[in-house]
Amino acid sequence: KQEVTQIPAALSVPEGENLVLNCSFTDSAIYNLQWFRQDPGKGLTSLLLIQSSQREQTSGRLNASLDKSSGRSTLYIAASQPGDSATYLCAGGGADGLTFGKGTHLIIQP
Amino acid sequence: ETGVTQSPTHLIKTRGQQVTLRCSSQSGHNTVSWYQQALGQGPQFIFQYYREEENGRGNFPPRFSGLQFPNYSSELNVNALELDDSALYLCASSLGWRTPYGYTFGSGTRLTVV
């Protein structure tokens, strides 16, 4: 059974810092790895999708990497802004849908 | 291209009642999956439908059931509601199952059981 762990559970940093969110998974037989953003009480917004054959994806200030052999993915956020404050979830795509971590609650201080 | 839409956005039910939640998939997507997200937790997989058949199920009791229609929209039905069923219910659609193409989520239905 796939298990996904996200570290840290919470993070508070001043505006402008570069930061890294970590995600680990136990079963490397994933079809994809997705990073989502969730604002309080809202649904999930997809940030980046890395297909199983890929190693990384970039969108603006965001960069995500995937290492299936070690069961790890990282989300790098450059030049953080207060609007980046949210919960970030990673999820591995398998035969039975997505398996999520519990998320990293990120606060960017102005 | 329309995204995933869910209805209703909020719902309050009494313990023991039954509830139906609805989801319209993104245009072109033939697979719908449902997730339950309790407060402070990551979403948990309930089940998945591909071309009108359930082809995957998480650790949820049979009182959680669903349907997928020919237009790929879907319903989640929960019978005999319990207080612990209070959660955000999320629907996601994708192009195929076992897919490398990722999932698109709706905004969710907030269910409160009292």
Side-chain angles (χ1 to χ4, degrees), chain A residues 31-32 34 38 49 51 98, chain B residues 35 37 98-101 103:
Chain A
Y31 301 109
N32 55 59
Q34 264 184 283
Q38 187 172 34
L49 165 70
Q51 297 181 10
L98 290 168
Chain B
Y35 297 80
Q37 187 178 25
R98 297 187 177 182
T99 175
Y101 300 114
Y103 295 76

Side-chain angles (χ1 to χ4, degrees), chain A residues 36-72:
Chain A
F36 296 90
R37 169 186 172 136
Q38 187 172 34
D39 293 295
K42 304 296 185 181
L44 305 182
T45 299
S46 181
L47 298 174
L48 288 165
L49 165 70
I50 311 175
Q51 297 181 10
S52 61
S53 59
Q54 299 172 330
R55 294 297 299 267
E56 68 175 327
Q57 285 290 331
T58 298
S59 176
R61 295 182 293 108
L62 305 179
N63 175 275
S65 66
L66 173 63
D67 184 344
K68 287 179 61 178
S69 62
S70 67
R72 293 183 181 183

